[in-house]
Amino acid sequence: MAKAKVEQTGKIKVTLIKSTIAVLPQHKKIVAALGLKKIRSFRIHDENPCILGMIAKVRYLVKVEKI
């Protein structure tokens, strides 16, 4: 029987640094899905491909720090 690999995923802190007023509607939805509402609001997420893909789309609006 094969053993399942347990990946160690790190944590990242995502902070909204720019306003979402004049951005694409899809990017506004991505920022909302990340849990960010106001400028300088932040959320801590697990570092996984889904979250990293979302961050890549809106990298001009957010700052990412590894925890």
Side-chain angles (χ1 to χ4, degrees), residues 12 14 33-34 45-57:
I12 52 175
V14 183
L34 286 170
H45 291 283
D46 290 329
E47 187 176 4
N48 59 39
C50 180
I51 296 295
L52 294 177
M54 293 167 73
I55 291 170
K57 290 260 186 178

Side-chain angles (χ1 to χ4, degrees), residues 8-54:
Q8 292 287 4
T9 59
K11 298 279 188 179
I12 52 175
K13 178 180 175 182
V14 183
T15 307
L16 185 63
I17 57 169
K18 289 182 112 179
S19 174
T20 58
I21 290 175
V23 299
L24 296 171
Q26 182 180 7
H27 291 191
K28 286 183 184 183
K29 290 178 184 177
I30 291 171
V31 169
L34 286 170
L36 305 172
K37 295 182 179 183
K38 296 181 177 181
I39 295 175
R40 290 187 298 275
S41 65
F42 67 92
R43 290 287 301 237
I44 296 175
H45 291 283
D46 290 329
E47 187 176 4
N48 59 39
C50 180
I51 296 295
L52 294 177
M54 293 167 73

Side-chain angles (χ1 to χ4, degrees), residues 3 26 34 51 60-62:
K3 292 184 180 179
Q26 182 180 7
L34 286 170
I51 296 295
Y60 62 99
L61 297 172
V62 299

